[in-house]
Amino acid sequence: LLVFSNNENKYKLSYCNGVNLSMKKTILIVIINFISAQLYLELLGQDFDKPIYVTTSPINSNIFYIVEQDGYIWIVDDGKELSTPFLDITDRTHKPLFPADEMGLLGFAFDPNFTDNGFIYINYNDKDDNTIISRFKTESNKVDINTEQYILRFKQPYSNHNGGHIAFDSEGYFYISVGDGGSAGDPDNRAQDLTNLFGSILRIKLNDDASYSIPKDNPFLKDNYMKEIWSYGLRNVWRFSFDKLNNDMYLGDVGQNAWEEINYISHDSKGGLNFGWNIMEASSVFLRDYNDSILHHYQLPVFEYPNDAKYVRTILGIKQKDVHGCSVTGGYVYRGSRIPELYGRYFFGDYCTGKIWSFYLNDGKAIDFRDHTNELLGSINKSKFYLSSFGESENGELLLVDYSGSIYRISEK
């Protein structure tokens, strides 16, 4: 028996059966199929240096590509790490200088027609603090670094909040997460300004020559707005994904002072959604000049949790008890076949605490919240886990990245 409580569309968590029973309004009591699967983390590779993403070959789900923040991508094939990197752009990538450095190689995607054209795409910060989205050609399991072609290039105002994720949807459109430009509180109000790219998700159509066009149904084709913008009012989306079944979009947006949030865009959306930052933080008013009467202007998150862990303590490796997290890591809807009990659940977590959670989305609302942390981390005898990213295999299985150096797959005993 599960009880879900709602207070102005906030789903707050406690760790007493995963529900805060002190909420004012209990609106839903449901019985959901019990997850009987015994889950564990299956080690796929280790000893990587600052890994921040993992995916698999479009051809073979047992070939893994691990992205390191310094500028490398490595291949693990059938449990064996290849000695030569798939990609090495350390000559042009910002090298992370301290534990909380948010710059470097941040995103990676295969072209939807990779088997025919051999193209890959990356998102990185160069040595002059520009964000670069570019395309490379691959040959014989290796990227030819001399084939780089820029798709987008723009200067970052500050060193943090670079976004960095890139992905294709099922229709072949290319999406890019761009942070609000950095500092704290979005001091220049970029995320609410449609005349710049910051604080947004971009949506473009890539052309054969590495140029791009604007899809005809993008929402801001008129006036003097940036036509690439698909949605905005976002602080720093750290990983978004598309549901393999229906192309719904899930976004993990990192919070400022109080809330971490999961946002959602339906596959039939016309775009143009404003998620509220920096006027809002999740579903709470952030700027004091506003009040709750403005809530209807913004797209509120489908899920949020308290930002109650201290980031500085996290990067210093200090254990914090009875906290939820301080930096959301967006994940994926499970569409694999290895663990049928998980089918349709959205998995996400938190970098600072290593917590791993999931829920179903029903009519735009998160239901049947589950905390998988103890079970999964217990299976590898770890209490400290820096969840820098999730990944998804070509066949829909879920992958996890520990920033300390290990790559895992969620499996069933």
Side-chain angles (χ1 to χ4, degrees):
L1 183 66
L2 300 168
V3 180
F4 295 90
S5 300
N6 176 275
N7 180 17
E8 297 178 351
N9 204 33
K10 288 186 183 179
Y11 289 83
K12 300 185 180 180
L13 315 181
S14 74
Y15 287 89
C16 177
N17 297 323
V19 180
N20 185 342
L21 298 179
S22 65
M23 304 301 291
K24 295 180 180 178
K25 297 179 182 179
T26 299
I27 63 168
L28 180 63
I29 300 178
V30 294
I31 298 177
I32 306 265
N33 289 333
F34 179 69
I35 297 178
S36 58
Q38 295 184 31
L39 305 179
Y40 76 100
L41 292 180
E42 175 187 357
L43 182 65
L44 302 174
Q46 57 188 340
D47 299 326
F48 293 99
D49 183 22
K50 301 182 182 69
I52 51 83
Y53 187 59
V54 59
T55 189
T56 65
S57 163
I59 307 167
N60 187 339
S61 286
N62 290 316
I63 300 177
F64 301 92
Y65 291 76
I66 295 90
V67 179
E68 291 183 340
Q69 193 175 357
D70 284 351
Y72 290 104
I73 299 178
W74 299 93
I75 297 177
V76 173
D77 186 352
D78 196 24
K80 180 180 179 181
E81 181 183 337
L82 303 190
S83 58
T84 302
F86 174 67
L87 173 74
D88 177 359
I89 55 165
T90 53
D91 63 331
R92 62 198 76 177
T93 308
H94 170 93
K95 182 178 177 60
L97 303 176
F98 49 90
D101 195 332
E102 297 180 21
M103 288 189 162
L105 176 56
L106 304 177
F108 167 54
F110 288 100
D111 191 282
N113 298 313
F114 175 76
T115 54
D116 296 324
N117 60 33
F119 291 138
I120 66 152
Y121 303 86
I122 59 171
N123 186 332
Y124 69 97
N125 302 109
D126 67 12
K127 296 181 184 298
D128 295 319
D129 298 340
N130 296 298
T131 282
I132 307 289
I133 293 93
S134 62
R135 185 181 81 176
F136 289 84
K137 179 77 173 179
T138 64
E139 291 184 6
S140 302
N141 240 5
K142 187 174 174 59
V143 175
D144 183 350
I145 62 171
N146 297 314
T147 63
E148 183 174 21
Q149 295 176 284
Y150 284 3
I151 296 168
L152 273 174
R153 180 178 182 271
F154 52 90
K155 185 77 171 180
Q156 287 288 345
Y158 300 92
S159 63
N160 59 337
H161 301 181
N162 298 285
H165 195 51
I166 53 177
F168 290 89
D169 71 0
S170 64
E171 297 179 350
Y173 293 115
F174 187 60
Y175 293 74
I176 304 161
S177 68
V178 182
D180 67 4
S183 188
D186 192 12
D188 297 315
N189 299 312
R190 294 183 176 90
Q192 290 295 318
D193 181 0
L194 290 169
T195 65
N196 71 77
L197 297 177
F198 295 103
S200 68
I201 297 291
L202 311 183
R203 178 184 187 246
I204 59 178
K205 183 69 174 178
L206 296 177
N207 301 322
D208 292 340
D209 62 357
S211 65
Y212 68 88
S213 57
I214 305 298
K216 293 181 180 180
D217 57 349
N218 266 23
F220 301 114
L221 296 180
K222 299 179 181 180
D223 302 319
N224 294 317
Y225 297 151
M226 300 300 290
K227 298 172 177 55
E228 295 90 342
I229 294 175
W230 176 247
S231 58
Y232 67 111
L234 295 159
R235 184 173 178 271
N236 189 38
V237 172
W238 184 246
R239 303 310 181 211
F240 62 84
S241 65
F242 297 97
D243 187 339
K244 280 181 173 291
L245 182 67
N246 56 27
N247 209 35
D248 288 349
M249 189 178 189
Y250 293 75
L251 310 93
D253 195 18
V254 178
Q256 176 77 48
N257 295 330
W259 296 103
E260 303 295 312
E261 64 187 276
I262 298 294
N263 293 304
Y264 168 76
I265 303 176
S266 173
H267 66 279
D268 57 0
S269 171
K270 303 302 182 184
L273 298 180
N274 183 354
F275 290 97
W277 177 253
N278 67 348
I279 297 169
M280 307 289 297
E281 182 182 12
S283 59
S284 298
V285 176
F286 178 75
L287 295 182
R288 295 180 181 178
D289 294 340
Y290 296 85
N291 57 50
D292 288 351
S293 66
I294 64 170
L295 292 180
H296 68 279
H297 293 299
Y298 304 106
Q299 187 74 19
L300 301 182
V302 296
F303 195 92
E304 62 190 86
Y305 66 91
N307 180 328
D308 52 9
K310 304 299 183 184
Y311 190 56
V312 173
R313 292 192 172 207
T314 297
I315 64 177
L316 293 176
I318 300 173
K319 181 72 173 175
Q320 301 175 75
K321 294 182 178 180
D322 301 321
V323 292
H324 302 82
C326 73
S327 183
V328 67
T329 300
Y332 294 83
V333 175
Y334 180 75
R335 296 298 180 189
S337 60
R338 292 161 58 106
I339 316 174
E341 294 96 325
L342 302 184
Y343 193 80
R345 300 187 70 86
Y346 176 71
F347 276 76
F348 68 107
D350 188 87
Y351 170 79
C352 298
T353 58
K355 293 186 182 297
I356 303 162
W357 303 302
S358 74
F359 60 73
Y360 286 112
L361 195 68
N362 180 39
D363 194 25
K365 299 184 184 300
I367 65 170
D368 193 24
F369 168 82
R370 301 278 180 164
D371 186 346
H372 305 277
T373 310
N374 290 339
E375 181 178 27
L376 290 175
L377 297 193
S379 72
I380 54 174
N381 296 315
K382 281 190 176 183
S383 59
K384 186 185 298 182
F385 193 97
Y386 298 109
L387 182 57
S388 58
S389 188
F390 286 84
E392 182 183 39
S393 68
E394 186 64 22
N395 60 3
E397 301 302 328
L398 295 185
L399 314 171
L400 278 74
V401 181
D402 182 350
Y403 193 62
S404 299
S406 298
I407 312 297
Y408 300 91
R409 176 169 53 200
I410 296 180
S411 295
E412 179 183 15
K413 292 182 180 179

